[in-house]
């Protein structure tokens, strides 16, 4: 229900605020654009109803964005961040193409992709036990899956990965040496950031198109209203 989602969202925002504060980030970075509380719980057809403007994006992208600094600190700037491009994980999920996918299809790609990343984050956790970015991102990914399912026509088609799919995703990383495993862990976080940025852009585009289409459908009505009024006025002057 929307009210439970709002409750989780609020705690997510609080969590993000605490983490940003703990990391010494300036207070302005704290997500303050909380959803306008609708105590009535009624479905509002306003902008707050759009997934693309949900504060969860700010929260999750804030965490994944911090990864670059964490990486550079760990390797004392001896390795550049784009060095991670050499460690492509083959099983990464596809994002939403820019043009010919519906909003529904994009939401499914987002939810499915996040399920895959959630499994891959187990590899990150194994390499970096207790990593803060990892646990924050896991929480928000789960929340984002729930929020995108709220917007789907067919949320039941979002299924959990089977244990054999999971084993397959992680099994490919077993043969790597210690350094490669670390780089792969960092690469997963880096790719996840790009996946989230692209997904947000794709969903924003779909949601804005819908809003513009509604405007365009209504615009001619007021145009003809005005024309009609003008004609009447002309006749009676
Ligand atoms: C979208 O276009 C690509 C090629 O540009 C095609 O491979 C794909 O099947 C299309 N998808 C849909 C849902 O139409
Ligand atoms: C997402 O939904 C599941 C199932 O309803 C629930 O167990 C979980 O707590 C939710 N996660 C978040 C972060 O809201």
């Amino acid at each position: 229900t929307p009210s439970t989602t709002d409750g989780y969202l609020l705690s997510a925002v609080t969590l993000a605020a605490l983490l940003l504060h703990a990391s010494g980030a300036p207070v302005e970075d704290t997500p303050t654009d909380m959803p306008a509380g609708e105590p009535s719980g009624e479905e509002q057809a306003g902008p707050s109803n759009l997934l693309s403007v949900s504060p969860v994006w700010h929260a999750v992208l804030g965490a994944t964005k911090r990864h670059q600094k964490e990486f550079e600190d760990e390797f004392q700037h001896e390795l550049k961040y784009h060095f991670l491009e050499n460690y492509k994980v083959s099983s990464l999920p596809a994002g939403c193409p820019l043009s010919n996918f519906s909003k529904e299809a994009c939401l499914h790609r987002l939810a499915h992709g996040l399920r895959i990343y959630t499994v891959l984050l187990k590899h990150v956790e194994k390499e970096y036990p207790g990593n803060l970015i990892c646990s924050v991102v896991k929480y928000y990914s789960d929340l984002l899956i729930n929020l995108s399912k709220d917007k789907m026509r067919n949320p039941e088609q979002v299924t959990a990965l089977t244990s054999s799919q999971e084993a397959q995703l992680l099994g490919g990383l077993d043969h790597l040496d210690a350094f490669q495993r670390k780089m792969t862990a960092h690469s997963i976080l880096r790719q996840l950031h790009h996946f989230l940025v692209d997904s947000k852009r794709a969903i924003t585009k779909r949601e804005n198109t819908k809003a513009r289409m509604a405007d365009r459908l209504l615009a001619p009505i007021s145009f003809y209203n005005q024309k009609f009024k003008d004609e009447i006025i002309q006749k009676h002057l």
Side-chain angles (χ1 to χ4, degrees):
T1 69
S3 55
T4 355
T5 312
D6 279 353
Y8 280 117
L9 197 53
L10 208 63
S11 54
V13 170
T14 312
L15 177 62
L18 289 173
L19 286 166
L20 285 167
H21 195 65
S23 74
V27 180
E28 300 86 77
D29 275 356
T30 312
T32 49
D33 45 339
M34 289 203 221
E38 288 294 335
S40 62
E42 278 172 42
E43 269 291 292
Q44 289 293 114
S48 62
N49 207 28
L50 301 176
L51 179 61
S52 54
V53 300
S54 167
V56 73
W57 292 106
H58 184 100
V60 71
L61 288 170
T64 52
K65 209 175 160 195
R66 288 219 324 276
H67 172 247
Q68 176 164 0
K69 183 167 186 312
E70 201 167 90
F71 175 85
E72 286 166 354
D73 285 350
E74 179 178 348
F75 296 99
Q76 301 294 314
H77 298 267
E78 277 168 30
L79 290 181
K80 294 262 186 273
Y81 199 50
H82 62 74
F83 178 72
L84 291 173
E85 282 162 24
N86 300 317
Y87 293 88
K88 290 245 155 69
V89 181
S90 60
S91 44
L92 291 181
C96 183
L98 272 177
S99 53
N100 62 350
F101 262 50
S102 66
K103 184 176 142 198
E104 175 80 3
C106 285
L107 291 171
H108 278 273
R109 282 246 162 138
L110 173 64
H112 181 68
L114 287 176
R115 283 264 153 87
I116 289 177
Y117 273 108
T118 301
V119 172
L120 291 171
L121 285 174
K122 291 182 183 181
H123 173 77
V124 183
E125 272 182 325
K126 218 164 97 187
E127 290 305 309
Y128 294 93
N131 180 269
L132 203 53
I133 292 181
C134 198
S135 37
V136 171
V137 165
K138 249 173 49 181
Y139 177 83
Y140 287 129
S141 297
D142 195 36
L143 184 57
L144 204 42
I145 291 170
N146 289 1
L147 292 172
S148 59
K149 280 167 79 176
D150 285 348
K151 305 285 178 208
M152 284 176 193
R153 263 173 285 130
N154 301 306
E156 71 284 350
Q157 287 171 4
V158 180
T159 52
L161 297 187
T162 65
S163 50
S164 73
Q165 284 172 316
E166 224 179 271
Q168 207 180 347
L169 278 172
L170 295 171
L173 311 174
D174 278 347
H175 66 280
L176 303 174
D177 67 32
F179 182 74
Q180 288 173 328
R181 280 206 305 274
K182 269 190 180 197
M183 288 303 121
T184 302
H186 284 295
S187 176
I188 288 166
L189 285 174
R190 181 177 169 276
Q191 296 293 317
L192 174 56
H193 180 70
H194 293 311
F195 177 77
L196 287 166
V197 168
D198 293 346
S199 299
K200 180 173 187 278
R201 186 180 301 137
I203 288 166
T204 303
K205 193 181 162 199
R206 265 73 178 181
E207 287 184 337
N208 287 347
T209 306
K210 266 205 167 155
R212 269 206 308 277
M213 259 157 65
D215 280 351
R216 229 176 281 149
L217 284 173
L218 293 174
I221 296 173
S222 47
F223 172 74
Y224 283 115
N225 266 347
Q226 190 57 46
K227 201 165 172 252
F228 187 57
K229 260 191 238 160
D230 289 347
E231 274 165 16
I232 291 177
I233 291 168
Q234 287 289 318
K235 258 182 220 160
H236 293 86
L237 274 177

